[in-house]
Amino acid sequence: MSKDVRVTLEDVITHFEDLEDPRSSINQRHPLVSVVVIAVMGVLAGASGPTGIAKWARMKKDLLLGTLELPNGIPAKDVFRRVLAALRPDAFQSCFVGWLESLRQAACEEGAVSQPVFAVDGKTNRRSHDRKRGLGALHAVSLWASELGLSLGQVACEEKSNEITAIPELLRLVDLQGAIITIDAMGTQKAIAKQIVEGGADYVLAVKGNQESLETAIADAFLAETENDFASGKVRKHETTETAHGRTTTRTYYQKPAPRSLVDSAAWAGLRTIGMVIAVCLRDGKETVEIRRYISSLGMGVQRFARAVRGHWGIENSCHWILDVVYREDDSRIRDQRARENFAWLDRFTLSLLKQHPSKDSIAMKRRSCGWSDDFLMEVLTGKAT
């Protein structure tokens, strides 16, 4: 590799220089920073565990010895396993904050996104359980910047029901200023809405059965408008139609100012509007209808409301689906509690890096290209052409 590659990798190494080494002194034959950077590179190239990272590293010996400090050669698989199992997930993730912030700023400028949508949602790695040790499958709540293709934070919790406590912790990890935060109904909590507003962001929160009175009140508010043929002039409407995968879906978005009579309206910090989305799906001659309702701190502007709702659905399509199908995260059998959480974060972070590369190839093809081409790998890793 050229000298320029070594120079650009120095920017990557800097992010991990303050990471505290959890190993005993006798196990520090390989610099911690080098081990972590190799792990990031290995996952970019398609590795799905410590064994895969080590095997890839051996095959890329010349590249790694020429770009990283490795006085004792290429680390073995046990080195990667021990390091990922020893590092505290919160400390490990905090090292990426500066890197992610630079990626976020660049993505916002390139895409001219003034108010990005940050979707909060949970995902379970189904095979990461260890019944003999009483360890349930890893469930992690993450924050995905839909339009930017960036995973900005992750917090693990023992099960889906604990998302309510994990979400506030996750929101504290990320600079929310100027964003729109979207969360499914489980996270529609007054304290969470307050935290978002105090963080300088707006929210669009789904309302379902867990807020039954609120959901009914929103439904009644829009029903009254419908029965009066929207004579009040307060409702805004936006409609989209999409055809894909053999089905045609028409979504109609409605938005209106939140009524003062809305249940507990004063207790929801910053509440300004309510919204409703009616999705009509036609497939093989069969029609299905789904209705979703929302509360929001956004002012009137139905297209902005629609963008936020669509952005939330993006976490399933452009993040979770890729983690399952391309990264095969559901097949992972990493069962050490810290190692599986750290590896889940590596998956999300490397997906973010791959999303930033301008190539039009699929994520699967980009990962293969990272394995095949050192130059392409360096472009993805550093964000610069080699």
Side-chain angles (χ1 to χ4, degrees), residues 254-321:
Y254 298 93
Q255 185 193 37
K256 66 168 291 183
R260 293 181 180 179
S261 59
L262 199 70
V263 178
D264 289 339
S265 60
W268 293 96
L271 177 62
R272 297 176 68 189
T273 55
I274 58 175
M276 181 173 68
V277 182
I278 301 177
V280 180
C281 181
L282 182 64
R283 184 169 188 170
D284 298 329
K286 296 181 180 180
E287 185 178 273
T288 58
V289 179
E290 183 179 22
I291 301 176
R292 300 186 183 190
R293 300 176 178 90
Y294 301 85
I295 58 173
S296 175
S297 65
L298 291 173
M300 290 297 292
V302 68
Q303 292 194 34
R304 184 170 56 158
F305 165 66
R307 181 171 69 88
V309 172
R310 289 196 305 270
H312 186 81
W313 297 334
I315 194 172
E316 289 292 342
N317 300 327
S318 58
C319 180
H320 291 173
W321 186 86

Side-chain angles (χ1 to χ4, degrees), residues 81-130:
R81 179 181 57 78
R82 284 195 299 266
V83 166
L84 290 172
L87 284 171
R88 289 195 348 263
D90 58 339
F92 184 48
Q93 191 176 154
S94 67
C95 294
F96 294 84
V97 170
W99 197 345
L100 283 166
E101 184 57 31
S102 64
L103 292 174
R104 174 180 167 180
Q105 290 177 2
C108 282
E109 291 171 3
E110 184 174 340
V113 179
S114 60
Q115 192 173 24
V117 176
F118 292 172
V120 175
D121 200 11
K123 181 182 181 298
T124 302
N125 293 4
R126 302 188 185 283
R127 297 193 66 209
S128 61
H129 57 81
D130 189 346

Side-chain angles (χ1 to χ4, degrees), residues 240-259:
T240 64
T241 300
E242 300 172 359
T243 299
H245 308 295
R247 64 177 180 266
T248 298
T249 304
T250 299
R251 295 184 176 91
T252 307
Y253 302 84
Y254 298 93
Q255 185 193 37
K256 66 168 291 183

